[in-house]
Amino acid sequence: MDKLYEREDIYDVRTVEELAGHYKRILELLGEDTSREGLLKTPERVAKAMAFLTKGYGEDPKEILLSAKFREDYRHMVVVKDIELYSMCEHHMLPFYGKAHVAYIPNGYITGLSKVARVVECFARRFQVQERLTVQIRDCIQEALDPMGVAVVIEAAHTCMQMRGIQKQNSVTTTSAFTGAFLKNQNTRQEFLQIISSNLR
Ligand SMILES: Nc1nc2c(ncn2[C@@H]2O[C@H](COP(=O)(O)OP(=O)(O)OP(=O)(O)O)[C@@H](O)[C@H]2O)c(=O)[nH]1
Ligand SMILES: [Zn+2]
């Protein structure tokens, strides 16, 4: 199935049906009357929403990058910052959301800019911990493009810490992962950190 990532509105009918059955039962167990009007279609809606929120399992992130890999002799930093991100924490199946900042230094090949954001999307649309999400994005770009280095910073708020549990509304978690020049060269890392913290548009 090619370009699955562009087919956000198409769900596997049988999976949605089965999921809907389970969500109906979950609503009942939580004390709801699933026959009332407002809830009649809810199990199916939730099933589709969850299928969308986890659509990354059906995508190949490396393939996304390779589908727009171009030979180019630009050997400076490419930074795609402020990529919005919505993911699901694997412990509570609750959303965490924020921004990803991604950079790489090409080594003969560049990729389409949108593909960087698509890779973020692909890994975010799975059950995740923020640390693994950060490292997966880094490794995918490193493996697909073999650049001089990759840098990924993610800032996110976790609703499992806001809506329940410790209930801290304003805490933001920052994770980062680097390869190559970003690891070895403090100036390179500093340049990246400066770019992502600037208001330059
Ligand atoms: N490292 C990491 N932890 C996460 C992430 N998302 C959620 N968590 C944490 O996963 C942990 C699970 O801990 P448990 O003690 O098993 O679960 P819990 O009893 O629901 O914990 P509380 O949230 O403290 O009530 C919690 O500390 C969450 O804050 C993440 O992306 N990375
Ligand atoms: Zn959680």
Side-chain angles (χ1 to χ4, degrees), residues 64-100:
I64 292 171
L65 289 177
L66 295 177
S67 72
K69 182 176 173 182
F70 311 113
R71 181 129 191 81
E72 193 63 58
D73 256 340
Y74 177 87
R75 280 164 204 269
H76 307 281
M77 200 179 293
V78 178
V79 184
V80 186
K81 70 173 194 172
D82 292 337
I83 303 169
E84 317 86 283
L85 168 152
Y86 293 89
S87 189
M88 300 285 280
C89 115
E90 71 180 15
H91 302 124
H92 301 96
M93 292 171 70
L94 286 171
F96 64 94
Y97 61 96
K99 287 176 186 171

Side-chain angles (χ1 to χ4, degrees), residues 7-18:
R7 306 176 57 187
E8 295 168 354
D9 54 342
I10 296 177
Y11 306 99
D12 179 70
V13 176
R14 229 184 294 152
T15 307
V16 166
E17 257 175 33
E18 197 171 327

Side-chain angles (χ1 to χ4, degrees), residues 3 27 33 35 40 77 101 120 129 132-133 147-148 157 163 171-172 189:
K3 299 225 166 186
L27 281 168
D33 168 11
S35 66
L40 285 179
M77 200 179 293
H101 313 290
V120 171
V129 292
R132 188 171 66 239
L133 172 60
M148 317 273 269
M163 297 173 67
S171 79
V172 173
R189 191 163 62 242

